[in-house]
Amino acid sequence: MNEDAIRINKYLSQAGFCSRREADKLLEQGRVTINGEFIEMGTKVNPGDQVFVDGNLVEKETEEKVYLAVNKPKGVVCTTNSKVEKNNIVDFVNYPTRIFPIGRLDKMSEGLILMTNDGEIVNHILRARHYHDKEYLVTVDKTITDEFILKMRNGVPILDTISRKCEVEKLGDRSFKIVLTQGLNRQIRRMCEALDYRVRTLKRTRIKNIKLDLEKGEHRHLTPEEIKDLYQK
């Protein structure tokens, strides 16, 4: 095996095609070939190999790296697969070069989502041990009690685990702010449901030092300072 060979998921990530996690999904779906041959997880790409996704050649990214902040409206899905979901974030932003979302924000939630063509920063941010703050504003279907706030702060049993301790601040009778440092699937909704509450609205307002400062549906480039901070642990 060539010493310069790299795993296929890393190749797709470095090429700016998708994150490693998304690459693994493409492999599972049988949508990736090397030199015309279907491959499996862990296959390595050698210099000179041609990698295809859905029959389209994937070449190493030579364009400048792009980092966007987007104010995602409710109803837009954080996926790159337009074949499955027509109302997806990639088509919604319609950026002139290929970009993909960092992490997820579920369809019925709105607010800040980051997008990039830098697959390596996606891997860095999504590692749970990095404890990146994500702030949300939430409204629920009934009056918030002190007991609810206390339990949300100290951890709620969901998805066969207990959510990590977090900051929670009551803002009104039915609204609160929460700062998470993990990203379990539909975490806030599941936490509320476990305590017999239902989320009515959910908006992400901050990721680390990047604040939501856009009108709904708008996007902007991150500043050099914001990009640098994303790479910090």
Side-chain angles (χ1 to χ4, degrees), residues 151-163:
K151 287 182 176 179
M152 291 287 283
R153 283 175 180 161
N154 289 324
V156 179
I158 57 170
L159 298 172
D160 299 320
T161 187
I162 296 177
S163 59

Side-chain angles (χ1 to χ4, degrees), residues 11-138:
Y11 178 92
L12 291 172
S13 171
Q14 289 182 345
F17 188 85
C18 62
S19 69
R20 293 189 197 184
R21 188 176 297 180
E22 287 289 330
D24 288 341
K25 291 179 182 178
L26 293 174
L27 289 163
E28 290 172 359
Q29 294 164 2
R31 296 167 59 190
V32 184
T33 61
I34 296 179
N35 303 326
E37 300 290 333
F38 286 98
I39 58 172
E40 54 190 34
M41 205 84 71
T43 299
K44 292 192 174 182
V45 182
N46 291 292
D49 283 346
Q50 289 191 311
V51 177
F52 295 81
V53 177
D54 296 331
N56 299 310
L57 180 65
V58 178
E59 298 184 273
K60 280 293 186 71
E61 182 66 61
T62 56
E63 296 176 335
E64 185 178 347
K65 295 300 183 187
V66 174
Y67 307 89
L68 296 183
V70 181
N71 186 350
K72 183 190 90 69
K74 187 164 65 173
V76 175
V77 181
C78 291
T79 180
T80 59
N81 193 346
S82 58
K83 293 181 179 179
V84 173
E85 182 58 64
K86 297 302 180 185
N87 200 20
N88 65 85
I89 189 74
V90 174
D91 290 343
F92 177 79
V93 174
N94 195 28
Y95 197 75
T97 59
R98 181 183 175 85
I99 56 174
F100 46 88
I102 302 176
R104 299 182 67 84
L105 193 58
D106 70 60
K107 183 175 183 177
M108 300 311 294
S109 299
E110 60 183 289
L112 183 61
I113 184 86
L114 304 181
M115 299 188 71
T116 187
N117 59 0
D118 182 354
E120 292 308 296
I121 201 173
V122 177
N123 303 318
H124 175 84
I125 291 172
L126 295 185
R127 292 183 189 122
R129 65 178 180 272
H130 285 157
Y131 291 80
H132 292 141
D133 284 359
K134 297 180 290 292
E135 182 179 285
Y136 302 80
L137 298 180
V138 188

Side-chain angles (χ1 to χ4, degrees), residues 83-226:
K83 293 181 179 179
V84 173
E85 182 58 64
K86 297 302 180 185
N87 200 20
N88 65 85
I89 189 74
V90 174
D91 290 343
F92 177 79
V93 174
N94 195 28
Y95 197 75
T97 59
R98 181 183 175 85
I99 56 174
F100 46 88
I102 302 176
R104 299 182 67 84
L105 193 58
D106 70 60
K107 183 175 183 177
M108 300 311 294
S109 299
E110 60 183 289
L112 183 61
I113 184 86
L114 304 181
M115 299 188 71
T116 187
N117 59 0
D118 182 354
E120 292 308 296
I121 201 173
V122 177
N123 303 318
H124 175 84
I125 291 172
L126 295 185
R127 292 183 189 122
R129 65 178 180 272
H130 285 157
Y131 291 80
H132 292 141
D133 284 359
K134 297 180 290 292
E135 182 179 285
Y136 302 80
L137 298 180
V138 188
T139 62
V140 290
D141 62 340
K142 58 184 179 182
T143 302
I144 294 170
T145 63
D146 292 341
E147 181 184 18
F148 171 83
I149 295 294
L150 186 62
K151 287 182 176 179
M152 291 287 283
R153 283 175 180 161
N154 289 324
V156 179
I158 57 170
L159 298 172
D160 299 320
T161 187
I162 296 177
S163 59
R164 189 179 291 160
K165 289 186 177 183
C166 61
E167 298 176 33
V168 184
E169 178 185 348
K170 184 177 178 180
L171 300 177
D173 285 345
R174 299 190 178 192
S175 62
F176 65 95
K177 178 176 73 175
I178 183 168
V179 180
L180 299 182
T181 56
Q182 65 184 146
L184 300 176
N185 181 255
R186 300 180 72 250
Q187 181 171 345
I188 296 172
R189 295 180 188 276
R190 291 180 190 276
M191 290 170 70
C192 289
E193 287 168 7
L195 300 176
D196 199 29
Y197 282 75
R198 298 293 179 272
V199 170
R200 290 294 182 234
T201 66
L202 196 159
K203 178 190 288 188
R204 183 154 64 196
T205 55
R206 179 174 61 84
I207 298 173
K208 290 201 76 180
N209 68 323
I210 303 165
K211 296 181 180 180
L212 183 66
D213 55 3
L214 299 157
E215 294 297 320
K216 193 176 298 184
E218 289 187 346
H219 66 267
R220 67 169 176 84
H221 289 270
L222 298 188
T223 66
E225 292 75 18
E226 289 171 331

